[in-house]
Amino acid sequence: MKIDDKLALDLFHVDKQAHLQIKPEICRKCPHKACTYVCPVENYTINGEDVVLSWEGCLECGTCRIVCDQGSLTWDYPQGGYGILYRLG
Amino acid sequence: MDNENSENKFDTIIVGAGPAGTTAALVLAKAGLNVLLLERSSSPGSKNVFGGILYTTVLNRLVPNFWEEAPVERHIKGIKIYLVSPQNAVSIGVESEEHNQPPYNNSFTVSRAAFDKWYASKAEEAGAMLLLNTQVDDLLRVNGKVAGVKVRGEEGELYADTVILADGVNSILAEKAGLRKSYVPRQVSLGMKEIIELPRNVIEDRFGISGDEGVEIKYMAGDATKGIWGGGNIYTNQESVSLVTWLALDPLIKSKRKSTELFEQFKAHPFVKNYIKGGKTVEYQAHLAPDGGYDDTPRYFTDGLVIAGDAARFLNASLHYEGTNFAMASGEAAAKAILHARGLNDYSAKSLAYYQKLLEKSFVMKDLKRYRKMNHFAEKNPEFFGPYFDVITQAAVDYFAVKETPKRSQEWQMIKDFRKNLGKATKSRFPLLGFCWRCLKGGLSFL
Ligand SMILES: Cc1cc2nc3c(=O)[nH]c(=O)nc-3n(C[C@H](O)[C@H](O)[C@H](O)COP(=O)(O)OP(=O)(O)OC[C@H]3O[C@@H](n4cnc5c(N)ncnc54)[C@H](O)[C@@H]3O)c2cc1C
């Protein structure tokens, strides 16, 4: 099953503002780009030399916050009531 | 800016309406305190993920016979543990009729979205005030002592004599309180989960249960996680199963494998796929769990503040994967420590140190200490979960192989092959000795 099909099953209350941000120039130089394979929703993808972040499908697990040791990522929870809303948790 | 005496002042503010925070709120509200429980989601539980079993020794003491009104799925009657290689599996199972009687071995599958909501309503009934959609961004201090919280949006600043952080594994607030540094990968595991719908009768037939009976199926690392320290689980709900994979983050990073692909490979594994055959995935979830055990717990109190549950890294990540019970026990201990401090009218760290005393006396610290070596073992012996599993399961299959060789010589051959395979797997000069030694060490740290 593809990750997009899985995320289509989940309920999100998407905020207008991004709660995750990366600094592309730092990611370009990152020696491991671990976010691109550990993220359980594949939020981080590689496009040529660049890491591209799409935060809308974020499940707020915090894994990327821990693997990013290059100081590229600004991680915060979305504002109250926004983000993932599990119905069956 | 002294709002300390305004209407915004509570006896205690609790951040997070998971099992830890709600338990603290329930106990404090019952004792008559003015308690505010803050939760960032729009319904308690809608941000929360766990594998499947709510452990309820503490809950059943606080809300006797809770299962009669709480939204529980099934009570757990038995467990089956698998070691798997690509081709072979060894399993051991335990079941008990006793677990079909109250209090059902204190193990129930639940949906956290339903359970956490119900539980928070019990704290409200007892008099706690629950504020949803409320993201706490920081702690407030007065004269160096924690004296409240800062909330994003309208509520602004809220004051209290004491604050309990029960904001879960990613507790950014515990970092802001200066009680711990940010995590390193070896201190967490990543859990991924699908809820897979199946008809009730299919679940009962497939898992050999009836009525409200349930089972847990557990896969220990090996080929279930392609040799990465971690595992998988299947839990039976009423009309769905929860399928979980958890992976220790450090070896996952080193493996360079994609977490999403590992999860799909687990679902397709020959000894997993038949349990979920024909099912329909209806939700996908992911969450971190604290790993590292006792040696990685932070300082969990300071002036005006105590930390409970996953935020304090209280989770028994051994064969008994118990977080909910630890969360509730530490939430209760946090509440009792605050009542103790209130009696002394002293909310300093010195007085709140009573929290530590209570925890030391309870199973929380005792179990955390008991398993403190387990994570170190898993970290230092990665070959255990790949090559060793292949050799062990192969030997078990060889033992039961049907041939025309007399059994005695077949068994000798099995032992010879076992030694040879061990040697190949570990490239050690004394493979059998090394294996026995590791089994002993590993066994002692696991059991
Ligand atoms: C994959 C997986 C499987 C597991 N399986 C089991 C199992 O089978 N059995 C078991 O007993 N345990 C299991 N656990 C562990 C268990 O889930 C946790 O130990 C338990 O939920 C901890 O409870 P808690 O109250 O401390 O934190 P949580 O349940 O995480 O609750 C924290 C709450 O705080 C809220 N919050 C966070 N930050 C803020 C903020 N800044 N402002 C306001 N609110 C905030 C969150 O929305 C959440 O409601 C598992 C964990 C994982 C990840």
Side-chain angles (χ1 to χ4, degrees):
Chain A
M1 204 171 165
K2 290 252 156 34
I3 200 68
D4 287 343
D5 298 331
K6 291 192 193 188
L7 289 179
L9 303 169
D10 287 355
L11 182 65
F12 289 94
H13 188 180
V14 180
D15 200 349
K16 282 184 212 77
Q17 227 180 331
H19 63 286
L20 311 177
Q21 261 156 5
I22 51 172
K23 298 191 185 77
E25 62 289 357
I26 296 186
C27 297
R28 209 169 296 146
K29 285 188 226 129
C30 178
H32 54 72
K33 298 186 175 51
C35 57
T36 60
Y37 53 90
V38 297
C39 172
V41 289
E42 300 174 18
N43 257 347
Y44 300 84
T45 46
I46 294 187
N47 184 1
E49 302 258 281
D50 292 322
V51 174
V52 183
L53 163 65
S54 54
W55 53 275
E56 289 85 349
C58 173
L59 299 181
E60 301 161 33
C61 70
T63 308
C64 54
R65 193 168 83 95
I66 297 169
V67 303
C68 180
D69 51 13
Q70 307 289 310
S72 166
L73 180 67
T74 321
W75 196 97
D76 202 353
Y77 284 125
Q79 60 171 306
Y82 285 83
I84 180 68
L85 291 169
Y86 295 122
R87 295 156 294 126
L88 307 161
Chain B
M1 197 194 67
D2 184 13
N3 282 338
E4 256 207 290
N5 299 318
S6 74
E7 316 166 345
N8 274 355
K9 164 102 195 262
F10 295 82
D11 292 328
T12 301
I13 291 176
I14 302 166
V15 186
T22 298
T23 302
L26 179 66
V27 174
L28 288 171
K30 270 192 190 162
L33 266 63
N34 182 9
V35 182
L36 178 64
L37 179 59
L38 300 175
E39 170 54 51
R40 69 188 190 93
S41 69
S42 52
S43 169
S46 69
K47 298 279 187 192
N48 300 347
V49 179
F50 83 150
I53 305 180
L54 183 76
Y55 296 99
T56 56
T57 53
V58 178
L59 178 61
N60 197 26
R61 203 157 32 69
L62 298 175
V63 188
N65 293 0
F66 70 90
W67 58 81
E68 287 167 9
E69 59 168 306
V72 296
E73 296 276 335
R74 291 172 183 274
H75 62 264
I76 295 297
K77 173 194 182 184
I79 180 173
K80 186 169 176 185
I81 300 176
Y82 271 109
L83 310 187
V84 293
S85 74
Q87 295 288 326
N88 308 320
V90 171
S91 68
I92 164 171
V94 181
E95 275 187 77
S96 173
E97 265 307 307
E98 272 174 39
H99 299 170
N100 276 336
Q101 311 297 327
Y104 304 103
N105 196 30
N106 290 298
S107 312
F108 296 83
T109 49
V110 303
S111 145
R112 291 288 298 272
F115 173 80
D116 289 13
K117 187 174 171 191
W118 169 84
Y119 194 33
S121 80
K122 297 309 280 183
E124 278 187 292
E125 268 173 39
M129 187 171 152
L130 171 66
L131 207 54
L132 297 168
N133 301 311
T134 308
Q135 169 67 37
V136 177
D137 277 336
D138 211 341
L139 295 165
L140 295 174
R141 288 174 190 270
V142 172
N143 302 327
K145 169 191 167 299
V146 174
V149 297
K150 206 170 159 198
V151 166
R152 209 179 297 176
E154 282 169 18
E155 282 83 10
E157 301 182 337
L158 301 167
Y159 287 84
D161 289 333
T162 47
V163 172
I164 301 179
L165 293 184
D167 51 338
V169 60
N170 280 321
S171 184
I172 296 172
L173 295 170
E175 284 172 31
K176 287 192 174 160
L179 292 181
R180 69 162 171 83
K181 298 205 186 85
S182 55
Y183 290 138
V184 292
R186 58 168 288 277
Q187 293 173 318
V188 289
S189 292
L190 167 63
M192 289 166 283
K193 171 173 166 185
E194 278 182 30
I195 309 279
I196 301 173
E197 260 179 16
L198 282 166
R200 213 192 148 103
N201 63 322
V202 173
I203 293 176
E204 290 177 9
D205 290 349
R206 198 169 283 179
F207 293 88
I209 49 181
S210 55
D212 290 334
E213 293 172 354
V215 290
E216 175 188 8
I217 299 191
K218 206 189 251 306
Y219 299 82
M220 299 288 297
D223 195 54
T225 53
K226 304 294 171 211
I228 295 168
W229 169 233
N233 295 76
I234 301 173
Y235 301 92
T236 53
N237 304 314
Q238 292 269 356
E239 297 186 15
S240 66
V241 298
S242 300
L243 184 112
V244 182
T245 305
W246 59 273
L247 303 159
L249 193 52
D250 197 37
L252 171 64
I253 293 172
K254 288 185 182 135
S255 78
K256 298 211 183 299
R257 286 170 185 267
K258 246 181 155 163
S259 61
T260 47
E261 280 169 15
L262 285 163
F263 188 58
E264 284 301 309
Q265 283 164 14
F266 175 66
K267 280 167 61 186
H269 198 282
F271 302 103
V272 176
K273 64 172 197 239
N274 287 342
Y275 287 120
I276 54 172
K277 190 169 57 180
K280 181 170 160 250
T281 299
V282 288
E283 194 164 70
Y284 176 64
Q285 311 167 348
H287 207 273
L288 289 178
D291 228 326
Y294 182 78
D295 294 327
D296 281 318
T297 50
R299 229 188 96 125
Y300 37 84
F301 60 92
T302 183
D303 294 321
L305 178 83
V306 288
I307 311 185
D310 273 9
R313 313 184 53 70
F314 295 150
L315 180 129
N316 178 354
S318 67
L319 262 189
H320 323 262
Y321 209 85
E322 268 184 66
T324 50
N325 219 12
F326 277 44
M328 289 182 184
S330 59
E332 187 188 24
K336 283 187 174 160
I338 284 172
L339 292 173
H340 169 84
R342 193 176 158 87
L344 302 173
N345 195 24
D346 172 9
Y347 301 108
S348 68
K350 193 166 152 252
S351 151
L352 290 172
Y354 187 58
Y355 181 41
Q356 179 158 13
K357 246 192 206 148
L358 290 173
L359 290 171
E360 299 277 355
K361 270 198 274 177
S362 81
F363 65 91
V364 173
M365 279 303 154
K366 289 193 175 132
D367 284 349
L368 281 173
K369 279 186 188 160
R370 165 77 186 76
Y371 293 105
R372 71 192 295 173
K373 294 214 180 84
M374 203 197 82
N375 280 78
H376 305 304
F377 175 82
E379 224 172 275
K380 286 193 195 127
N381 297 282
E383 71 279 21
F384 218 92
F385 308 103
Y388 274 5
F389 273 26
D390 297 351
V391 181
I392 297 170
T393 51
Q394 185 63 52
V397 169
D398 288 348
Y399 183 82
F400 290 107
V402 178
K403 294 181 182 162
E404 270 190 44
T405 336
K407 286 288 179 258
R408 172 67 48 89
S409 30
Q410 191 175 326
E411 279 154 20
W412 272 115
Q413 190 57 42
M414 181 196 94
I415 293 169
K416 262 171 56 190
D417 288 347
F418 182 69
R419 285 184 56 182
K420 200 174 80 203
N421 290 341
L422 268 183
K424 263 197 262 162
T426 60
K427 297 186 183 68
S428 131
R429 272 180 63 209
F430 305 104
L432 197 61
L433 207 67
F435 174 76
C436 293
W437 174 240
R438 285 217 180 79
C439 280
L440 188 73
K441 265 178 50 182
L444 287 177
S445 65
F446 271 79
L447 296 175

